[in-house]
């Protein structure tokens, strides 16, 4: 495996980890929209940490999501549940960031953080195994 790509993958996974930590801090400060945003970005960075090993990246979020779903979920590498997590996080992040009147509850944002943590753990395990090959 190309060391440069492995290092970039590690960096992106670390970004995901930091986003989860930030989401926890934000929810504790009652900034639910900010926490939803960081939860989504944790998932986004996880996906990009996988895609870099394929030598693939996209300028738009929709490209990253579509490629990840097509190459990794539809092929059975990852469970379909991850697609649901991606979709929900993307929708909530968009509503939180762009709808002035959108309100997310503390319970819903905590679920988003839990989903981001689950996504992270699955990706971290996959990458660990992939890098050992």
């Amino acid at each position: 495996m190309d060391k440069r790509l492995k290092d970039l993958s590690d960096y992106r996974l670390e970004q995901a980890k930091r986003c989860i930590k930030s989401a926890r801090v934000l929810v504790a400060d009652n900034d639910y929209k900010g926490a939803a945003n960081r939860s989504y970005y944790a998932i986004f960075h996880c996906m990009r940490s996988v895609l870099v090993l394929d030598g693939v990246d996209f300028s738009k979020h929709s490209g990253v999501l579509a490629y990840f779903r097509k190459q990794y979920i539809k092929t059975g590498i990852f469970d379909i549940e991850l697609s649901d997590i991606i979709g929900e996080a993307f929708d909530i992040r968009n509503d939180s960031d762009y709808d002035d009147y959108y309100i997310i509850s503390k319970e819903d944002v905590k679920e988003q953080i839990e989903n981001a943590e689950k996504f992270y753990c699955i990706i971290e395990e996959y990458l660990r195994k992939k890098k050992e090959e």
Side-chain angles (χ1 to χ4, degrees):
M1 177 179 297
D2 182 318
K3 181 176 175 5
R4 188 180 59 83
L5 294 180
K6 180 191 171 299
D7 289 347
L8 184 53
S9 176
D10 291 345
Y11 173 76
R12 288 177 177 175
L13 195 62
E14 181 59 32
Q15 283 183 297
K17 189 176 186 178
R18 285 193 305 260
C19 284
I20 292 169
K21 183 177 179 181
S22 294
R24 287 190 201 115
V25 169
L26 290 167
V27 79
D29 194 38
N30 299 319
D31 181 357
Y32 304 147
K33 284 186 174 190
N37 174 286
R38 295 292 84 202
S39 296
Y40 165 76
Y41 274 98
I43 293 166
F44 180 73
H45 291 310
C46 282
M47 287 186 288
R48 289 185 72 224
S49 72
V50 172
L51 270 55
V52 74
L53 298 180
D54 292 346
V56 175
D57 202 6
F58 298 89
S59 60
K60 295 188 178 199
H61 287 231
S62 59
V64 171
L65 276 62
Y67 182 90
F68 186 86
R69 283 175 162 153
K70 181 180 177 186
Q71 296 301 124
Y72 290 92
I73 294 174
K74 286 191 177 187
T75 59
I77 294 171
F78 295 116
D79 191 271
I80 189 93
E81 176 189 16
L82 293 190
S83 184
D84 297 337
I85 290 172
I86 294 165
E88 186 176 0
F90 180 79
D91 290 344
I92 289 173
R93 194 277 303 195
N94 277 339
D95 290 342
S96 293
D97 285 356
Y98 301 114
D99 182 347
D100 292 332
Y101 300 105
Y102 179 77
I103 298 172
I104 186 168
S105 70
K106 184 175 187 175
E107 293 77 28
D108 287 344
V109 81
K110 282 186 171 185
E111 180 182 340
Q112 290 304 302
I113 295 169
E114 288 171 13
N115 285 340
E117 290 171 337
K118 180 177 189 172
F119 200 98
Y120 175 87
C121 289
I122 291 168
I123 297 298
E124 180 184 42
E125 177 68 13
Y126 170 80
L127 289 172
R128 185 187 60 75
K129 289 178 181 175
K130 183 87 172 162
K131 291 170 187 173
E132 289 175 356
E133 294 176 355

